[in-house]
């Protein structure tokens, strides 16, 4: 699966600079990571679990059929998981 097959990426929002860098790196429109910006504004960076708060908000508002969840870890650790609705 590639990002082009996904309707949305949900990313770990380490901070405003990280969100901007992710939008650029993933070739997303500026502002596309709205859930991530909202979580940073509401809760701040809570380390690794922050992406789960983004996912919770996205689930509450309805997930697209296919999406990508990314997380950042210490040093330079990146994890990704493809999400899709069960049939």
């Amino acid at each position: 699966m590639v990002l082009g097959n996904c309707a949305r990426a949900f990313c770990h929002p380490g901070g405003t600079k990280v969100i901007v860098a992710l939008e650029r790196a993933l070739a997303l429109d500026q502002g596309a990571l709205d859930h991530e910006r909202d979580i940073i504004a509401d809760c701040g960076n809570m380390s690794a679990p922050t992406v789960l708060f983004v996912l919770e908000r996205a689930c509450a508002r309805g997930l697209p059929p296919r999406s990508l969840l990314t997380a950042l870890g210490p040093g330079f650790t990146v994890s990704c998981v493809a999400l899709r609705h069960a049939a």
Side-chain angles (χ1 to χ4, degrees):
M1 179 186 283
V2 295
L3 187 57
N5 294 340
C6 297
R8 175 70 156 80
F10 299 105
C11 304
H12 176 279
T16 303
K17 290 181 182 180
V18 173
I19 295 169
V20 170
L22 284 166
E23 287 173 340
R24 286 183 188 153
L26 298 174
L28 301 173
D29 292 335
Q30 184 179 359
L33 299 178
D34 54 341
H35 295 312
E36 292 79 354
R37 280 186 171 81
D38 291 346
I39 292 296
I40 285 293
D42 293 348
C43 306
N45 184 2
M46 301 168 282
S47 193
T50 310
V51 72
L52 299 177
F53 284 76
V54 172
L55 181 59
E56 178 182 50
R57 184 159 298 183
C59 287
R61 295 184 180 162
L63 287 173
R66 288 182 163 207
S67 53
L68 181 69
L69 182 70
T70 68
L72 304 173
F76 186 75
T77 306
V78 178
S79 301
C80 299
V81 64
L83 305 173
R84 68 181 174 102
H85 284 282

